[in-house]
Amino acid sequence: MRTITTLLSLLVMTSFMHDVISDNPGTTPHLSEIFVGRCWDYNLIKYKTLMTMTNVDVDCEALWNAFFKSFSFQAPCSLSMQNYQEFMDMARQDLPVNKAMFWSGTYVIAHEYAQDSGRYVTLEDTLIGYLANSIVWCGSASDPSGMNSSRCPSWTDCPLEASESFWASASATFAKSAKGVVTLVLDGSRDGKPAYSRQSFFAKHELPNLDDSVQVVVLVTHALGGPARETCTNGSIVDLLGDIRNRNLQFKCIDDPPAIVHLLCADDPEARECKLVKRHLAPDSVKPANDLTFLING
Ligand SMILES: *[C@@H]1O[C@H](CO)[C@@H](O)[C@H](O)[C@H]1NC(C)=O
Ligand SMILES: *[C@@H]1O[C@H](CO)[C@@H](O)[C@H](O)[C@H]1NC(C)=O
């Protein structure tokens, strides 16, 4: 979902590298084919690997028509969340109890941990998120296709941008469907940005739409080797816990849950935090071999 932003910055970086004036891309080519293809894929194949998800009995062509109607032939900056309501109502799914996972600034690690709904279900594991992930779209009032294929505004260009309104509406829909214990993954090591922002999708569209019976578990991850800029007891996460308390929801906050530390260690086994794991695993008398030195000198 918000990978779109990541994708855009990647594209901007790429064009910068190629010395091209950076610009936003327009609507993804073959949008209708991708959308309808993803819909069939989700309903016939993908959802079967999502053991915990229920299927959505939906006509993929009808779903595309509802999606297309929401934004096409309209200026890209004038779309409200309400525009997508009919589409959301057609595509929404029940979520398995205790499985909903939210993320904010933690796309990669949250999705690794969620493991395609093996452990948790993210918005991108639902039909709504799966259909739209990483694609770009916006309307055009003048082009006969109803879409702008040369340039779509970025989220910062206008308050009600076509895909931002979509993701806001999708996030609200996802939050409304969450039951039992829900999990939020935050990054306490972000440079220059707080782990929790009241401008985030979680603050604006998810927290307000959670059911009153939901309990929230906040997982705060930190980069291996630090710094731990913010934790469960300081920084913006304290504001978050206050906002959750104000919604009268039960909650707990956990710094560096071992399961996530172990996932981070898969990419960086030599980090200090991961060597501790290695030392505990090694038999007392055996010192861990320094494999790298051995290879270089041997
Ligand atoms: C596409 O968007 C750009 C930037 O907003 C605009 O200049 C252009 O006229 C639009 N094209 C169409 C066909 O709407
Ligand atoms: C929060 O606590 C950590 C660990 O004690 C510390 O390193 C960090 O500087 C603190 N941050 C703030 C914003 O107080």
Side-chain angles (χ1 to χ4, degrees):
M1 66 178 282
R2 285 148 271 176
T3 33
I4 284 176
T5 336
T6 321
L7 189 72
L8 288 181
S9 40
L10 275 180
L11 288 169
V12 169
M13 265 165 58
T14 316
S15 40
F16 178 72
M17 279 153 54
H18 290 272
D19 244 347
V20 174
I21 296 164
S22 63
D23 205 355
N24 292 336
T27 300
T28 306
H30 305 290
L31 184 68
S32 67
E33 290 88 349
I34 294 172
F35 187 101
V36 174
R38 283 185 177 183
C39 177
W40 283 114
D41 176 29
Y42 192 92
N43 276 345
L44 296 180
I45 302 163
K46 169 84 176 161
Y47 105 87
K48 289 182 182 158
T49 67
L50 304 174
M51 304 306 278
T52 51
M53 291 299 291
T54 51
N55 199 2
V56 210
D57 192 14
V58 69
D59 176 336
C60 292
E61 291 291 340
L63 200 56
W64 162 254
N65 290 335
F67 177 72
F68 185 64
K69 200 173 81 184
S70 311
F71 70 93
S72 57
F73 300 101
Q74 298 165 65
C77 281
S78 66
L79 286 200
S80 71
M81 289 168 67
Q82 198 53 40
N83 281 58
Y84 291 102
Q85 198 53 53
E86 184 191 344
F87 166 82
M88 296 294 160
D89 291 341
M90 283 171 82
R92 67 177 296 167
Q93 287 157 288
D94 290 334
L95 296 180
V97 181
N98 301 341
K99 292 281 188 182
M101 174 170 279
F102 300 87
W103 52 274
S104 194
T106 51
Y107 184 89
V108 172
I109 191 65
H111 285 87
E112 269 181 37
Y113 189 27
Q115 203 199 37
D116 288 337
S117 90
R119 297 191 187 98
Y120 294 97
V121 173
T122 64
L123 173 56
E124 293 71 25
D125 296 317
T126 67
L127 177 63
I128 291 170
Y130 189 68
L131 288 173
N133 202 5
S134 300
I135 61 177
V136 176
W137 72 91
C138 65
S140 164
S142 58
D143 193 88
S145 72
M147 299 181 281
N148 192 327
S149 58
S150 56
R151 189 182 186 280
C152 289
S154 66
W155 293 11
T156 49
D157 288 348
C158 46
L160 295 167
E161 190 274 326
S163 68
E164 184 176 5
S165 295
F166 174 92
W167 287 115
S169 182
S171 300
T173 304
F174 183 73
K176 282 178 195 160
S177 307
K179 299 182 200 77
V181 180
V182 307
T183 306
L184 167 66
V185 184
L186 294 179
D187 179 356
S189 294
R190 294 180 96 186
D191 194 3
K193 276 187 183 169
Y196 171 69
S197 157
R198 294 211 164 104
Q199 296 311 309
S200 65
F201 271 57
F202 184 78
K204 289 201 301 191
H205 308 297
E206 293 172 334
L207 182 56
N209 283 301
L210 289 174
D211 189 84
D212 293 343
S213 64
V214 156
Q215 298 150 275
V216 185
V217 174
V218 181
L219 303 180
V220 182
T221 77
H222 296 100
L224 296 174
R229 289 196 167 87
E230 300 181 278
T231 68
C232 286
T233 52
N234 73 9
S236 62
I237 297 161
V238 177
D239 300 337
L240 165 66
L241 300 180
D243 290 350
I244 298 175
R245 196 181 288 119
N246 286 340
R247 271 237 43 209
N248 285 318
L249 302 177
Q250 289 183 32
F251 64 92
K252 64 180 168 185
C253 183
I254 304 168
D255 281 308
D256 299 309
I260 292 190
V261 175
H262 283 80
L263 281 175
L264 293 171
C265 283
D267 288 327
D268 193 2
E270 297 304 319
R272 181 179 53 84
E273 294 87 341
C274 313
K275 284 186 173 158
L276 285 172
V277 176
K278 211 155 122 185
R279 200 168 305 145
H280 282 301
L281 287 177
D284 284 348
S285 55
V286 182
K287 291 208 174 76
N290 190 337
D291 294 340
L292 274 182
T293 316
F294 179 72
L295 279 177
I296 292 164
N297 296 340

